[in-house]
Amino acid sequence: MNLRDSPGEAAFRAQVRAWLADNLPAETGPEWSRKMFDAGFAGLTWPEEYGGRGAPYSHQAIALEEFASAGAPNHMNVIALGMAGPTIMAHGNEEQKQRYLSKMLSAEEIWCQGFSEPDAGSDLSAVRTRIEPRDDHFLVNGQKVWSSIAHHADFCILVGRSDPESQRHAGLTYVIVDMHAPGVEVSPLRQITGEAEFNEIFFTDVEVPRENLLGEIGGGWQVAMTTLLHERGTLGFALTGTLDAQVNKLIALTKERAADDPIIRDRVAQEWIELQALKLTNYRSLTTLIKTGIPGPEGSGSKLHWSEQNQRLTKLAMEILGGEDDGYWGYQQQRSRGNTIEAGTSEILRNIIAERVLGLPRSR
Ligand SMILES: Cc1cc2nc3c(=O)[nH]c(=O)nc-3n(C[C@H](O)[C@H](O)[C@H](O)COP(=O)(O)OP(=O)(O)OC[C@H]3O[C@@H](n4cnc5c(N)ncnc54)[C@H](O)[C@@H]3O)c2cc1C
């Protein structure tokens, strides 16, 4: 196996690096996202008719690696690019694709995800939000929770129950909700870091036009599974890039504060080794993606490995600092707590790996 760039990939990598050197800002936002779009780095693999570049997945992987190692901020429309867009491409009709996709890439319209509820987190099939089919619209009533960037969002991908008699996976429906519609209320929740990155969303008699249905009425579970596969599958490369930068920062801190400590040196070396293993696993996931166009279950392994390693290494950095918060690692350690919960908890990901990668019997 040759993991080196082909001449075309090497040229693309050089192009990304040169662009980043000229354009890098400190923070994400609509302006940065628009700049990425204008330069063609948002939606690299998306079809050109929907604002993308129609580039191979290997270019997407290269761009993610280069953005992360340059410390470049993400495109602000993370849920649109990683989840809502690929779901609309897989299950949407032509009108929906034309209407929504390119405005996701240019960040003219921001998206959030309304899946979790107070009594339905890991078990999405327990959702109770009602999506009631009426003549020319759906009537939505209920509550979602932990919705990242909902306070900035124009649209929400929403899963709810269209058949009140149904149980679990049956009778769910998936719609696109206009976050500015009457009856939608967003209430921010403060995290351990002090930021309010996610929110509660309340829906009271919200009218959603029929044309905002994705997939079939009652077929929402299949559509939601596409969203979750993409959430975990495409995260891998982006997350590994940021982890690479974190490991380099940890090595720099060790050189400065604990260069002679043999135990710390061992632990830092172990983190570097774990990172190399994760990179190789991601290349395997990329091979599946190139062959099938659909992220494989390896994505769950990458997300699990990344989130647990990020917690461990930020904790190690705090130990090296003797608990003193230097303004960087303290925040990183607090934010990393959510990493093993968001996009599937570690326990759920272990179940998925056991069942779908290792072929062990179902846990329940
Ligand atoms: C930073 C952050 C951002 C988020 N953003 C969004 C978002 O944008 N949109 C959205 O819809 N949601 C979002 N979430 C919510 C996230 O998806 C849920 O928190 C997650 O699915 C877990 O659900 P829960 O919190 O209800 O915990 P629960 O499902 O109640 O789980 C509680 C505990 O029980 C364990 N557990 C549950 N079931 C099993 C099982 N079958 N086997 C073994 N252990 C089990 C879990 O691992 C966990 O430790 C976000 C969460 C975080 C932390």
Side-chain angles (χ1 to χ4, degrees):
M1 197 194 320
N2 182 2
L3 296 176
R4 290 202 188 90
D5 289 344
S6 68
E9 287 164 355
F12 178 69
R13 193 182 288 281
Q15 184 199 334
V16 180
R17 266 188 206 169
W19 185 82
L20 282 169
D22 290 344
N23 290 285
L24 201 60
E27 280 181 11
T28 189
E31 221 174 284
W32 169 244
S33 307
R34 178 77 208 192
K35 240 180 173 181
M36 279 178 71
F37 174 66
D38 290 340
F41 296 132
L44 266 167
T45 59
W46 292 21
E48 288 180 54
E49 66 260 43
Y50 308 130
R53 288 291 156 128
Y57 286 109
S58 57
H59 282 206
Q60 179 66 76
I62 288 169
L64 287 170
E65 279 176 359
E66 291 302 321
F67 270 64
S69 67
N74 280 331
H75 190 289
M76 73 176 292
N77 222 358
V78 276
I79 289 171
L81 269 61
M83 288 178 259
T87 307
I88 290 176
M89 271 188 267
H91 298 277
N93 56 37
E94 193 49 39
E95 218 177 317
Q96 290 169 331
K97 293 178 193 173
Q98 295 287 353
R99 164 65 189 85
Y100 296 116
L101 294 175
S102 106
K103 287 193 170 153
M104 291 177 170
L105 299 179
S106 60
E108 282 166 83
E109 290 170 346
I110 303 301
W111 289 66
C112 67
Q113 178 195 19
F115 279 29
S116 306
E117 295 184 5
D119 292 318
S122 302
D123 186 7
L124 180 64
S125 69
V127 292
R128 289 208 302 232
T129 291
R130 285 296 317 275
I131 301 183
E132 203 182 319
R134 294 282 176 99
D135 296 342
D136 62 345
H137 66 273
F138 297 94
L139 196 65
V140 176
N141 278 288
Q143 185 199 340
K144 294 290 173 179
V145 71
W146 319 123
S147 274
S148 305
I149 60 172
H151 52 306
H152 296 303
D154 300 295
F155 291 101
C156 177
I157 39 174
L158 186 81
V159 180
R161 203 159 283 287
S162 44
D163 175 0
E165 307 300 319
S166 64
Q167 296 287 324
R168 303 192 53 78
H169 311 96
L172 299 179
T173 290
Y174 194 122
V175 291
I176 297 168
V177 179
D178 178 350
M179 291 293 284
H180 308 295
V184 178
E185 213 182 304
V186 175
S187 174
L189 292 165
R190 203 156 291 286
Q191 294 156 244
I192 192 174
T193 55
E195 298 165 306
E197 203 185 344
F198 51 29
N199 305 266
E200 292 174 293
I201 314 177
F202 300 92
F203 300 92
T204 312
D205 290 335
V206 178
E207 291 191 15
V208 175
R210 274 272 172 160
E211 65 256 29
N212 287 19
L213 172 69
L214 265 187
E216 307 286 328
I217 295 178
W221 181 257
Q222 287 76 9
V223 185
M225 286 307 102
T226 301
T227 307
L228 296 185
L229 260 186
H230 279 275
E231 179 175 31
R232 287 156 202 167
T234 45
L235 271 175
F237 261 92
L239 298 179
T240 308
T242 35
L243 193 61
D244 203 343
Q246 281 295 56
V247 169
N248 286 335
K249 285 198 175 89
L250 180 70
I251 293 169
L253 179 71
T254 308
K255 283 181 180 158
E256 198 187 300
R257 300 278 194 119
D260 298 328
D261 184 324
I263 305 288
I264 298 284
R265 289 162 64 108
D266 262 15
R267 288 170 68 191
V268 172
Q270 186 60 35
E271 295 306 339
W272 184 87
I273 292 165
E274 300 272 343
L275 172 68
Q276 308 315 310
L278 181 57
K279 280 185 182 173
L280 294 174
T281 304
N282 283 342
Y283 285 127
R284 223 170 55 224
S285 305
L286 183 64
T287 310
T288 313
L289 191 60
I290 290 169
K291 280 190 191 147
T292 64
I294 304 166
E298 301 91 347
S300 294
S302 295
K303 194 271 168 175
L304 173 68
H305 188 116
W306 164 77
S307 55
E308 297 198 339
Q309 186 174 3
N310 197 36
Q311 273 180 12
R312 209 173 44 240
L313 81 79
T314 53
K315 190 162 167 283
L316 175 54
M318 288 306 287
E319 275 180 56
I320 295 172
L321 286 166
E324 156 209 339
D325 185 359
D326 66 345
Y328 178 78
W329 288 109
Y331 171 85
Q332 294 296 323
Q333 161 59 191
Q334 287 183 336
R335 181 61 187 83
S336 74
R337 306 311 301 171
N339 295 156
T340 48
I341 304 171
E342 60 195 322
T345 67
S346 290
E347 291 76 17
I348 294 300
L349 296 178
R350 284 196 169 86
N351 280 346
I352 291 174
I353 293 164
E355 290 167 20
R356 294 193 214 148
V357 181
L358 305 181
L360 293 173
R362 284 184 63 80
S363 58
R364 64 195 163 100

